[in-house]
Amino acid sequence: MIKKKIGDLLVEKGLLTAGQLDECLKEQAVSGKRLGEILVEKQCITESELIETISERLSIPRVSLDQMVIDPKVVQRVPVDVARRYLLIPIFEIANTLTLAMADPLNIIAIDEIKYITGRNIKRAIAAASEIKGAIDQYYSVADSLNQIIANRGEGPARRLTETAIAGRGEAENPIAKLVDLIISKAVKDNASDIHIEPEEDRLRIRYRINNTMREEAAPPKSMQNELISRIKIAANLDVSEKRLPQDGRFLSVVDGAGIDLRVSTLPTIHGEKIVLRILDRRNLLLSFAQLGLNQKTEAAWRQIIHKPEGLILISGPTSSGKTSTLYATLHDINSVEKNIITVEDPVEYSLHLIIQIQINEKAGLTYPSALRAILRQNPDVVMVGEIRDTETARMAIRSSLTGHLVFSTIHTNDAPSAVTRLVDMGIETYLVASALKGVLAQRLVRTNCPNCLESYRPPDAILQRAGLIELADTFDFKRGLGCSQCKQTGYKGLTGIFEFVDVNPRITELIIDNASVNRVREEARRFGYVPLFEVGLEKVAQGEVRLEELLKETTYVEDYNVPEPETITVGLK
């Protein structure tokens, strides 16, 4: 009845129509969910409007956890598993009364359990579920959760878990299953790209790759190593008994209601199998070019070339530089029901709508060249080759582009001009390269400054000298993240791409036919608007988005190529 009255109050306030309320009440009767949860999910009202109404109706104060600093000793009154289960967190304690911030302040079972655990009187406050989840992640450590799981597992020697115990009945109560879920959930919430589970002689190490930097996390004891690895291998449909050879697999996990693809790779080591889980979060898929980090000039040039009817277009960069994201965003941009788009990848990271995707299987004989031969018989308009690794693949890609197809692929070179001549170095005839290649986009990923703890600073003279900015230091307002709770004291939060683009125009085509050096190609590209990665990154440094040291770490040093005079750099940043 109370929920119905809250619904009526929302209608009285004009936040909800009677029809919307009736529809949501019917859905509540079928699903069993809370009415407020349904209203927010269907976007009938906002979470803030719901909390305000509940606070008014029940005379329970509303709190904003984002603006609050909680005493860690108060937080420890409630075990982490109870806080997560009931979506609540203790915020302060006065005498014998403990105040809880709750997403559902009507949950009497939760209140009674915490009253029993703490021996305190309970006072309720209401807060947004998203804020409570964030506070739990902030104030409880992974070690707290691990200790709780290990305690629930019981004492005694390590137990050998069978397939049934790991992946079958009773999985929800399985402490190893909970441990794996915790490791994955924490990594996803921290925006990690990879999870590394590394056995050593006397310990098990867990590290996350966050913003392209490895960070160590709390790990379970060495005695749980085999059970943990077995759980992951079975989830990924790998052979648990095979510990002498590398294996690859994948499985799906759910974190906060979102499906997360995990690509699993095992590697035998002298102390046991190392596991790497690559996190593929569909929520980060198909970003816009602006979100990827392309500036307006580069985006305009890129959009113009990707809509050509035929030709070879390359994306260059090292491993983990975001090439796949750029390729997928590009395919999404040109995708339509009128086009037959086929990709051949190793591995296929995400399933794309309306696009035919092929997974390389070298053991079965399905390689890049053999797949490309078969693809050409399928009358494609656009072909995407995951990577040009060898001369045969390069020849097939060029052949495809010269027979009326638009071909996208990636190649490993230091910059865009080097990719132009790399194909020639692989043994491809210069006239074929000149005829097929239309453009090259090179990219890097750099960490961005945390906006919550941004401060101005002057980089050391040695850094300014390396960057060629010693004379221009006073014209820049250099920024860096100082470190705060929002960025885990790192000073960085998130990644952005920096891109350089070479349009293979008639003049560069002539240089390719003449087998010109990379430096000549680079100089000629300069005349037609090519801007190297470092200088593109300087734009982000000038905007306070990227720290100068971070840019230098990820891009070619300024002394490695001919840089324009300092005045030119300054003008380019205005």
Side-chain angles (χ1 to χ4, degrees), residues 519-549:
N519 285 335
R520 283 192 63 195
V521 172
R522 186 179 291 118
E523 289 169 7
E524 191 63 31
R526 276 271 197 185
R527 293 181 55 212
F528 291 93
Y530 161 70
V531 181
L533 283 168
F534 178 81
E535 291 175 36
V536 174
L538 278 182
E539 297 178 16
K540 296 182 183 290
V541 171
Q543 295 162 4
E545 187 178 356
V546 173
R547 187 171 175 173
L548 181 60
E549 289 89 338

Side-chain angles (χ1 to χ4, degrees), residues 69-89:
V69 177
I70 306 174
D71 186 345
K73 293 181 180 179
V74 174
V75 173
Q76 295 303 318
R77 291 285 188 191
V78 176
V80 62
D81 63 323
V82 175
R84 292 190 188 277
R85 187 192 320 151
Y86 295 122
L87 207 54
L88 54 82
I89 188 169

Side-chain angles (χ1 to χ4, degrees), residues 293-295 298 442-449 467 469 476 478-479 496-501 531-556 561 569 572-573:
L294 275 80
N295 59 32
T298 306
Q443 66 180 85
R444 296 289 190 278
L445 285 179
V446 294
R447 293 181 292 176
T448 54
N449 291 325
L469 298 176
F476 277 81
F478 294 103
K479 300 283 189 180
T496 189
I498 52 175
F499 301 82
E500 64 178 27
F501 177 68
V531 181
L533 283 168
F534 178 81
E535 291 175 36
V536 174
L538 278 182
E539 297 178 16
K540 296 182 183 290
V541 171
Q543 295 162 4
E545 187 178 356
V546 173
R547 187 171 175 173
L548 181 60
E549 289 89 338
E550 178 69 10
L551 176 64
L552 283 172
K553 187 182 77 172
E554 298 295 339
T555 61
T556 304
Y561 54 76
I569 296 179
L573 298 179

Side-chain angles (χ1 to χ4, degrees), residues 176-289:
I176 301 299
K178 288 183 179 180
L179 176 58
V180 173
D181 289 344
L182 170 67
I183 293 170
I184 294 172
S185 174
K186 183 67 167 58
V188 171
K189 291 174 181 177
D190 285 353
N191 294 316
S193 60
D194 305 273
I195 302 170
H196 293 249
I197 301 174
E198 304 165 325
E200 297 182 359
E201 184 176 5
D202 56 355
R203 62 170 294 190
L204 185 64
R205 187 188 303 273
I206 293 180
R207 295 194 291 172
Y208 295 162
R209 183 178 293 279
I210 301 174
N211 296 337
N212 268 356
T213 302
M214 300 288 277
R215 189 181 79 192
E216 187 166 2
E217 296 289 336
K222 178 76 172 178
S223 61
M224 296 178 70
Q225 173 180 313
N226 291 337
E227 300 170 71
L228 178 64
I229 291 173
S230 294
R231 161 67 189 169
I232 295 171
K233 290 175 71 174
I234 288 176
N237 291 317
L238 302 180
D239 185 353
V240 181
S241 63
E242 179 56 77
K243 300 180 181 180
R244 300 166 299 173
L245 297 173
Q247 298 184 68
D248 296 300
R250 65 193 306 161
F251 67 96
L252 179 71
S253 183
V254 178
V255 178
D256 290 341
I260 306 295
D261 286 314
L262 293 136
R263 204 169 70 211
V264 181
S265 172
T266 73
L267 184 69
T269 74
I270 59 173
H271 299 302
E273 290 177 284
K274 175 183 176 179
I275 301 278
V276 175
L277 292 90
R278 181 74 182 272
I279 299 171
L280 306 173
D281 191 342
R282 294 178 181 273
R283 293 171 294 184
N284 298 330
L285 181 62
L286 302 180
L287 299 173
S288 68
F289 291 136

